[in-house]
Amino acid sequence: MNNENFILSEKIVSPSYVRQGLQARRSHEQLVRVLLEQGKCPEEGWSESTIELFLNELAVMDSNNFLGNCGVGEREGRVASSLVARRHYRLIHGIGRSGDIAAVQPKAAGSSLLNKITNSVVLDVLKCAGVRSVSSCFVVPMATGMSLTLCFLTLRHKRPAARYILWPRIDQKSCFKSMVTAGFEPVVIENVLEGDELRTDLEAVEKKIEELGAENILCIHSTTSCFAPRVPDRLEELAVMCAKYNIPHIVNNAYGVQSSKCMHLIQQGARVGRIDAFVQSLDKNFMVPVGGAIIAGFDDEFIKEISKMYPGRASASPSLDVLITLLTLGASGYKKLLSERKELYTHLAQELKALAERHGERLLHTPHNPISLAMSLDGLQSRCDKAITQLGSMLFTRQVSGARVVPLGMKQTVSGHTFHGFMSHSDAYPCPYLNAASAIGITKNDVELSIKRLDKCLKALKKDGNVETSELGTPSEGSDEQTVP
């Protein structure tokens, strides 16, 4: 309804009622105007009706929704199922063009506008979360691993002679395979044990740079968010090292946006040294479906080069999901979730420590990890060799998801490289342990129920020394050696 239609409506319905409706409409439009004008996440969240009005306005700007449109091309935004069309708010054309995921589509002004606004709002959120100097970012419809691969492939054109990527070890398959998929040889830098924490071996990194030659190294691939007792890499020192040797630096910040400490490390690293790009997951940081990531950095041209490396158009679903979520929450709502997560991290640590002491175990001291915690399982290991993996199976069957049990001596081959002590980020960590994390969206009830069920499982294992076979889950969960292609 435009102003002319409202004037015509006054001939049908009382003008005072129509004017009231017009004012209500303008309140929605004012929110949209501020969004388009500022390109920032609104301080207060929008109502669903405002968001749907906005998305419907965008959809009618795409050619597949033009009245009387006659399409004779191979891609005309045709959808067989009306259910699918409604699921995507009739925004069917996706984002980008064949040569650039950030390019505007002539046939899809609405979808292109959605893409630009989403990137702008996400950039604002990254700044609010702690990386104040980030200058550019874009949402890509791939999870973290493939997004890292895209960064490495972009660097290939800048450093054609390079074949190695230096990677302080973190036992997570996708980040390792992201380097192999891009055609590079990962050089694994083992961590050093400091107290209970596994930290970056800076001396080993520099020694490897001198051994291989800086010109033969594509980049250093560092990590922020990770499972304890591994802690975030020493980003500032690595960034300084990268600047010194003129080596690019890519940071895997998978679920680090929710942590002010992880974001501060990135900000400081960029300030004192070199960070070319940092990659973060959408689902882990913004509570949306799996399938998207944010690639961000401090050099607009380099981030643009990465976006141009993406072949073809792309799905708009991750962009749509995160935009709807951030408009619903608003900046204040997202900050509230971050604050609650931090408070519940302290609560989880206290509860896990008390539980550990009751069972003769201890909470590992990992103060540099702001998200993940670890509790030793020495006593359980001494009772039965299979008790550790049995505990993992028992927790899973009791609907405790996300708890991660790490036994000693695991060996696993990933893309031809054999990791000893796999899952523990170390060849020989001193003890088996259990991980639990306080991630965004966790509730106090989650903490208390998981602690209660863990307590029952530990008591059962101590009492019986074993569990029924039916509780063990799949055979691979308890095996000591696995191979990943």
Side-chain angles (χ1 to χ4, degrees):
M1 294 278 284
N2 56 28
N3 285 337
E4 184 180 352
N5 287 337
F6 273 107
I7 292 170
L8 292 173
S9 299
E10 291 180 359
K11 298 178 181 179
I12 304 170
V13 178
S14 169
S16 62
Y17 298 160
V18 172
R19 283 194 292 272
Q20 189 177 30
L22 175 59
Q23 289 171 358
R25 167 82 184 204
R26 282 177 176 168
S27 66
H28 293 290
E29 292 175 343
Q30 173 65 12
L31 293 172
V32 174
R33 186 188 68 78
V34 172
L35 175 65
L36 295 174
E37 192 175 70
Q38 299 180 353
K40 295 182 177 180
C41 185
E43 185 60 29
E44 301 298 327
W46 290 7
S47 67
E48 287 188 9
S49 58
T50 302
I51 294 171
E52 289 187 330
L53 176 65
F54 176 51
L55 295 177
N56 285 329
E57 293 280 356
L58 292 178
V60 297
M61 296 171 67
D62 284 2
S63 63
N64 60 293
N65 299 312
F66 290 175
L67 295 177
N69 182 64
C70 178
V72 291
E74 82 289 354
R75 179 186 283 122
E76 295 296 335
R78 302 182 180 106
V79 177
S81 167
S82 61
L83 183 61
V84 170
R86 291 199 304 275
R87 177 189 172 225
H88 293 275
Y89 284 91
R90 295 176 294 117
L91 292 159
I92 309 302
H93 280 281
I95 57 175
R97 302 186 73 180
S98 58
D100 183 356
I101 196 176
V104 172
Q105 293 187 60
K107 290 194 293 188
S111 293
S112 299
L113 189 54
L114 167 77
N115 189 26
K116 297 289 186 182
I117 291 170
T118 300
N119 291 341
S120 181
V121 168
V122 167
L123 181 66
D124 180 54
V125 170
L126 293 180
K127 290 180 178 180
C128 290
V131 186
R132 293 286 177 185
S133 60
V134 61
S135 65
S136 183
C137 78
F138 66 98
V139 172
V140 60
M142 303 185 294
T144 309
M146 287 302 296
S147 298
L148 287 166
T149 296
L150 193 65
C151 295
F152 302 142
L153 289 172
T154 305
L155 286 174
R156 181 193 292 276
H157 295 279
K158 290 179 171 288
R159 301 172 72 84
R163 56 177 291 199
Y164 303 107
I165 296 178
L166 302 193
W167 181 62
R169 177 176 171 178
I170 173 169
D171 289 353
Q172 207 276 338
K173 298 170 194 170
S174 65
C175 51
F176 184 82
K177 294 177 78 172
S178 70
M179 299 179 282
V180 176
T181 301
F184 295 96
E185 183 179 330
V187 178
V188 181
I189 307 294
E190 290 294 331
N191 301 301
V192 291
L193 186 64
E194 296 181 10
D196 288 331
E197 293 183 325
L198 290 165
R199 306 208 68 185
T200 317
D201 189 340
L202 295 169
E203 186 178 334
V205 173
E206 189 154 27
K207 184 177 179 182
K208 190 59 71 171
I209 291 173
E210 293 169 352
E211 177 188 325
L212 297 175
E215 69 282 358
N216 296 315
I217 298 170
L218 182 81
C219 66
I220 289 179
H221 176 192
S222 63
T223 303
T224 55
S225 54
C226 53
F227 294 118
R230 174 70 153 82
V231 300
D233 279 318
R234 298 181 189 270
L235 246 61
E236 290 183 48
E237 293 89 339
L238 288 174
V240 169
M241 202 179 294
C242 286
K244 175 183 175 182
Y245 290 98
N246 192 29
I247 296 173
H249 186 187
I250 304 296
V251 180
N252 175 8
N253 189 44
Y255 48 100
V257 179
Q258 61 192 278
S259 163
S260 57
K261 183 175 287 188
C262 290
M263 297 300 271
H264 176 72
L265 287 173
I266 294 171
Q267 174 63 32
Q268 288 299 102
R271 185 182 66 82
V272 302
R274 177 172 180 173
I275 292 179
D276 294 74
F278 57 104
V279 179
Q280 38 273 306
S281 163
L282 284 183
D283 62 282
K284 292 175 182 175
N285 293 292
F286 299 101
M287 296 189 292
V288 296
V290 172
I294 304 164
I295 299 176
F298 307 90
D299 179 350
D300 293 356
E301 285 305 311
F302 180 59
I303 299 304
K304 191 179 292 184
E305 286 178 31
I306 298 174
S307 72
K308 288 181 178 179
M309 181 61 62
Y310 187 97
R313 287 173 175 79
S315 169
S317 290
S319 296
L320 183 60
D321 290 341
V322 74
L323 181 63
I324 290 173
T325 300
L326 290 174
L327 291 179
T328 300
L329 291 171
S332 61
Y334 189 65
K335 289 174 186 175
K336 183 182 178 184
L337 285 172
L338 299 186
S339 177
E340 290 172 351
R341 185 211 69 79
K342 190 177 289 188
E343 290 172 7
L344 286 168
Y345 172 85
T346 302
H347 180 54
L348 177 61
Q350 291 169 346
E351 292 294 312
L352 204 56
K353 182 179 180 181
L355 176 68
E357 289 172 352
R358 289 199 300 272
H359 290 275
E361 303 289 354
R362 66 189 184 90
L363 181 68
L364 301 184
H365 185 61
T366 56
H368 291 97
N369 194 317
I371 299 174
S372 177
L373 295 159
M375 183 186 92
S376 71
L377 295 174
D378 283 313
L380 203 59
Q381 176 79 30
S382 65
R383 284 178 173 80
C384 174
D385 289 340
K386 292 186 177 180
I388 304 297
T389 52
Q390 287 176 344
L391 175 61
S393 298
M394 290 175 74
L395 288 170
F396 185 76
T397 58
R398 286 158 178 76
Q399 299 181 4
V400 178
S401 60
R404 184 171 174 268
V405 173
V406 181
L408 295 175
M410 285 283 288
K411 186 167 73 170
Q412 184 153 333
T413 301
V414 182
S415 298
H417 182 92
T418 299
F419 291 89
H420 297 275
F422 187 74
M423 292 174 67
S424 68
H425 321 286
S426 170
D427 281 349
Y429 193 74
C431 69
Y433 58 87
L434 175 140
N435 280 132
S438 176
I440 189 168
I442 191 173
T443 65
K444 190 174 182 179
N445 189 53
D446 289 331
V447 173
E448 292 175 352
L449 267 179
S450 61
I451 293 294
K452 183 179 179 180
R453 291 172 184 175
L454 174 57
D455 187 32
K456 286 184 176 180
C457 290
L458 289 171
K459 286 177 179 176
L461 283 169
K462 284 184 178 181
K463 180 180 178 181
D464 302 332
N466 210 331
V467 292
E468 295 298 325
T469 305
S470 60
E471 294 179 336
L472 294 181
T474 62
S476 64
E477 289 176 323
S479 63
D480 292 330
E481 182 169 352
Q482 299 176 41
T483 299
V484 178

